């Protein structure tokens, strides 16, 4: 059994730098390293609809935005299959069968879903059933492709754990058809959680503290200028703190030694700048100016590709259509095996028909 990488996002908004360091950059690396048999990246619109039933237009719009983000960040449809979840009806079918082998209380015991229910302000009695069940649907997303490796954040750990349980139970009850996946976490702390420009714990659309992959250079400059730094660093000569200072956290995530050589040659690398800032004498604005250049340099090639794809939206849809067709072939193959294992492949089972014919025939 080879290595199959699969991951996805809910298309509920444009992707930001938090998505980029946390997952997108890694996906592009994984894709280009080529150490896999197959790689799938998909837009989980069915999952997004579980708490946006009244706003399908939002999901529809963000399918295009996220596709543009994927393609411009460097995901390459020749190397990885890009598709839309709703276009793979086999996933709904597998979800139905997996629901039979898990209890309501097991699904209820999911810390990520609990947090989301609170955040959405669903009262105890107004959680949509589809939303409640989405972890099972996510297990189907993964199992239907026999994914071995799911690159995702810590918040997805409960989903992977449930998937493993369901895969095991399915294989035990029916036949060993499905594959247990494992979670591949981001490699370091910055990648795990990039703070917002306001220094708050997380970059998040609802907090309005995001820098988007699709932001232009001027917007990035404005957002970086307004960033949270070190509230105790009042005068340039004061010693500064880099811990909890969002500008330095971003530099940690993005600045390269080449950036220092080109933009601030007084320092060889970030460690040297941090030492000087900590000692005192380095102004926040200078650090922000560096950060603007670093981010804009990193985003420039992404913006260029985005601008090209934006001029050919029909091609973007074409890529997703082809990807969805390719993904569907794989899912359909798994479902043939699933139905066979579950003994519901009635019409493909010549022996069954023969046996039943004999059983009921009048002698
Ligand atoms: N739950 C993921 C998110 O909120 C999206 C998702 C759906 C997913 N199905 C998946 C991620 C399967 C990895 C594998 O972003």
């Amino acid at each position: 059994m080879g290595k199959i990488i699969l991951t996805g996002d809910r298309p509920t908004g444009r992707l930001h730098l938090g998505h980029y360091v946390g997952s997108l950059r890694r996906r592009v690396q994984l894709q280009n390293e080529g150490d896999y048999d197959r790689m799938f990246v998909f837009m989980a619109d069915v999952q997004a609809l579980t708490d946006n039933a009244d706003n399908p237009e939002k999901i529809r719009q963000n399918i295009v935005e996220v596709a543009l983000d994927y393609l411009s960040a460097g995901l390459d449809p020749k190397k990885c299959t890009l598709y839309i979840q709703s276009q793979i009806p086999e996933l709904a079918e597998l979800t139905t069968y997996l629901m039979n082998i898990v209890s309501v209380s097991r699904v209820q015991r999911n810390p990520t879903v609990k947090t989301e229910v609170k955040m959405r302000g669903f009262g105890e009695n107004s959680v949509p059933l589809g939303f409640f069940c989405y972890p099972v649907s996510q297990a189907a997303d993964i199992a239907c492709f026999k994914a071995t490796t799911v690159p995702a954040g810590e918040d997805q750990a409960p989903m992977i754990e449930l998937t493993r349980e369901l895969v095991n139970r399915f294989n035990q009850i029916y036949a060993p058809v499905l594959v247990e996946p494992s979670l591949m976490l981001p490699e370091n702390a910055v990648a795990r959680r990039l703070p917002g420009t306001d220094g708050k714990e997380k970059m998040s659309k609802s907090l309005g503290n995001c820098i988007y992959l699709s932001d232009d250079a001027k917007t990035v400059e404005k957002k970086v200028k307004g960033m949270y730094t070190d509230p105790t660093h009042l005068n340039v000569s004061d010693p500064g703190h880099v811990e909890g200072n969002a500008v330095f956290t971003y530099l940690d995530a993005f600045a390269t030694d080449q950036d220092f050589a080109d933009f601030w040659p007084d320092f060889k690398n970030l460690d040297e700048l941090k030492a000087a800032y900590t000692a005192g004498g380095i102004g926040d604005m200078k650090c922000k100016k560096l950060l603007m250049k670093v981010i804009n340099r990193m985003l420039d090639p992404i913006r260029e590709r985005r601008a090209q794809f934006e001029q050919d939206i029909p091609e973007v849809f074409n890529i997703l259509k082809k990807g969805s067709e390719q993904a569907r072939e794989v899912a359909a193959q798994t479902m043939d095996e699933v139905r066979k294992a579950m003994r519901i492949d009635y019409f493909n089972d010549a022996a069954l028909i023969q046996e039943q014919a004999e059983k009921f025939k009048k002698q």
Side-chain angles (χ1 to χ4, degrees), residues 6-12 19 27 40 42-45 47-48 83 85 112 116 120 134 137-143 147 149-153 155-156 159-160 163 183:
L6 177 142
T7 188
D9 303 281
R10 294 182 194 170
T12 51
H19 295 114
R27 290 179 199 170
F40 299 95
F42 74 104
M43 286 179 270
D45 61 338
Q47 190 173 111
Y83 63 96
Q85 184 187 17
T112 300
E116 285 172 330
R120 306 282 191 282
Y134 92 70
S137 152
Q138 183 158 340
D141 295 340
I142 297 167
T149 312
V150 180
D155 61 327
Q156 298 301 302
M159 316 301 166
I160 306 302
T163 307
L183 177 62

Side-chain angles (χ1 to χ4, degrees), residues 166-234:
L166 291 175
V167 162
N168 276 321
R169 204 161 303 145
F170 182 97
N171 288 348
Q172 220 162 51
I173 298 174
Y174 302 111
V177 167
L178 304 179
V179 174
E180 257 187 78
S182 51
L183 177 62
M184 181 190 234
L185 285 169
E187 66 271 51
N188 60 49
V190 189
R192 247 165 257 151
R193 180 152 299 170
L194 193 73
T197 50
D198 54 1
K200 293 234 174 71
E201 212 190 321
K202 200 177 161 184
M203 201 175 262
S204 129
K205 189 179 42 181
S206 52
L207 297 174
N209 60 4
C210 302
I211 295 177
Y212 293 98
L213 289 180
S214 47
D215 279 344
D216 62 24
K218 282 265 160 315
T219 307
V220 168
E221 283 172 19
K222 205 171 110 216
K223 288 181 177 175
V224 171
K225 217 173 257 171
M227 264 179 85
Y228 177 87
T229 54
D230 169 9
T232 69
H233 189 229
L234 298 174

Side-chain angles (χ1 to χ4, degrees), residues 59 120-121 124-125 136 167 181 187 190 269-270 281-282:
I59 309 306
R120 306 282 191 282
E124 219 176 280
N125 299 318
V136 182
V167 162
E187 66 271 51
V190 189
N269 54 41
L270 185 54
I282 304 286

